[in-house]
Amino acid sequence: MSAALPMLKGYRVLDMTQIVAGPTCSRIMAELGADVIKLELAPFGDRTRIGGLRSRDPLHKNSSRSTYYFQHNHSKRSLAVDMKHPRGVALIKALAARCDVLVENFSPGVMERAGLSYEALREANPGLVMCSISLAGQHGPLSRKPGYDYVAQAYAGVTDLIGEPDGDPAMITMAVGDTATGLTAAMAVGYALLHRERTGEGQHVEASLLDTYFQMHEVALPRVSLRPGYTPRRTGSQHPDGGPTGLFRCGDGRYIALATLPHQWEALVRALDMSELMADPRFATAALRRDNNAALKTLLEGWLARFDSSEAAIAALEAHRIPCAPVLSLNEAMAHPHLRERGTVRRVHDEVLGDFDIPGLPVRFSAWEPARELRADALGEHNEDVLSEVLGLGPEDIEALYAQEVLVQDRLIARGRRGTA
């Protein structure tokens, strides 16, 4: 592997985001070498600073660090500003004029009311790429509605499709939409920067949780639109198109995930050693197998019950190249040697929080490797560095901003800055 610079080295990003979706977008850019200035709102900063796990050490009881914040905001520089103060808004405008990218995830209308709309900022920086992340986009009937991941998945028709057929709809309790929207936004910013390299023009990029979730309907939309009166229904642990594809119980009480496409039906029959299924009229076509999926599930789970372990059943299926996997707990997944070897599970160290695991970058590059050591700032830790380096402010100017409470900082750092015990 050649010794290449990170792809985004030399780019500066002003990150005005919090929680997960926005910070995911800017964190990816930070890992790829961009100088990401995370602008946090006074007095507490990103709301995830009080989420996750925090230090139990009495010496750090007032620290602004948390595992939640670290995971989504490592590799950035924290600048903590009171956005409601006129001097704070002036600082943001001055920084935006010197940045390549600005990412924000306020409710639509907030940036405009603060005088920080794309139209206002592009006057001083025509090459600025501004990315706005929201629940439902910057325009439209739902655009001003506040909300998070779970609200978006409900509006997207996703929640209604999860759960048992005769039960209540179920919610995806992981930040699937948030994370996917952050990835989508990072992709869009990269393309907008490429456009700027070719034309010299910046632009305003939008990403929304609702749009991202709706993109996840991989096959149902044409069916609904072409079949009047058709409504997809919940199918529990089974795929609505059968296969058989879904979750199946093994003899040892554990579950496996099985995915069988139509062209793999004969291979599955061979794996089950049930040649009679090839002549069974219930399973003659993919559509019939879908319609008789309950019977297939019973047959398959009867076959799985013959094995002493789910591992043995998986080995028998894999011998015929049938895609399958054990249903692992998160603990088991984190310990899996494949995920450890690839850095999908990444061990990090924080001087306050100690050693713990976070997810790794979900892409790989042949000419660059991610940093082995990562760090997340305390609240406002780089106030002085950013303002002096980017805006050329002197110590007296910065102290005046502290005195006016335009700037805030982690209590432990502020105590050291003031030289008090």
Side-chain angles (χ1 to χ4, degrees), residues 16 38-46 78-93 95 106 110 114 116 379-380 383 387 398 400-409:
M16 299 178 65
K38 183 173 177 67
L39 194 144
E40 301 189 66
L41 302 185
F44 304 114
D46 192 307
S78 174
L79 170 66
V81 174
D82 183 357
M83 188 174 165
K84 296 180 180 179
H85 195 291
R87 290 293 304 278
V89 175
L91 286 176
I92 295 170
K93 287 183 177 179
L95 287 167
F106 293 107
V110 171
L116 299 170
L379 178 64
N383 286 350
L387 295 179
I398 294 173
L401 292 172
Y402 278 116
Q404 297 167 8
E405 298 185 343
V406 177
L407 298 179
V408 295
Q409 202 168 47

Side-chain angles (χ1 to χ4, degrees), residues 138-160:
Q138 301 298 302
H139 305 284
L142 295 177
S143 61
R144 298 303 171 104
K145 185 178 179 65
Y148 301 101
D149 189 313
Y150 310 141
V151 177
Q153 67 175 259
Y155 266 116
V158 171
T159 309
D160 183 62

Side-chain angles (χ1 to χ4, degrees), residues 102 104 111 116-118 121 128-132 203-205:
L102 186 153
E104 60 91 10
M111 292 289 281
L116 299 170
S117 67
Y118 172 67
L121 296 177
L128 179 68
V129 172
M130 179 170 170
C131 179
S132 295
Q203 61 180 299
H204 192 190
V205 175

